[in-house]
Amino acid sequence: DDGAVLKTAHASGRRLSEELAVLAEQHGLPLQLRGVSSVFSTSFVPATAEPVVDMRSVQQADAVLLQKFVMALQERGVQVTSFGIWFVSTVHSEQDIDETLSAASEAFAELGAGQCD
């Protein structure tokens, strides 16, 4: 199949991560994404901070905000790891990605409004 299945997973992950970044920005949240398209991590890092590249630089991330985001996603049926790692596979349909983005938008809105306190 010339890697078509893997290409599909990467395309879905790329769409998800790119749109997550846009949504976070729209809600004024400093989301930073790292990794490859089908496995990536998220953290909330001030715009003035250095990019997160290792364990030392991840210390500048807002761990409390990340946990609030993870919990807000879980309340909406989206499961990511407690470290903010996302896994996208070939079983995830376009509808799954759409629903995940909708849940993330709601979670970002909550976080941006300070409603997750």
Side-chain angles (χ1 to χ4, degrees):
D1 76 353
D2 196 31
V5 173
L6 187 57
K7 288 177 185 174
T8 298
H10 283 298
S12 293
R14 192 168 27 261
R15 176 180 166 229
L16 178 60
S17 62
E18 288 172 357
E19 292 188 33
L20 281 171
V22 170
L23 289 170
E25 185 175 343
Q26 289 173 348
H27 291 285
L29 295 166
L31 185 70
Q32 188 177 106
L33 296 104
R34 298 168 309 288
V36 297
S37 53
S38 59
V39 181
F40 60 90
S41 64
T42 52
S43 54
F44 293 93
V45 181
T48 57
E50 294 295 318
V52 173
V53 295
D54 57 22
M55 192 57 143
R56 183 174 295 132
S57 58
V58 80
Q59 300 304 314
Q60 63 194 340
D62 188 334
V64 172
L65 187 58
L66 177 63
Q67 289 311 302
K68 289 178 181 180
F69 181 53
V70 168
M71 293 304 297
L73 288 172
Q74 287 180 357
E75 290 170 0
R76 291 163 175 81
V78 176
Q79 180 71 44
V80 300
T81 73
S82 61
F83 297 108
I85 300 173
W86 298 62
F87 296 92
V88 182
S89 75
T90 57
V91 301
H92 294 111
S93 67
E94 286 298 309
Q95 181 176 345
D96 293 328
I97 302 298
D98 291 340
E99 291 172 4
T100 300
L101 289 166
S102 178
S105 183
E106 290 175 11
F108 286 142
E110 230 179 68
L111 293 171
Q115 296 176 10
C116 288
D117 297 329

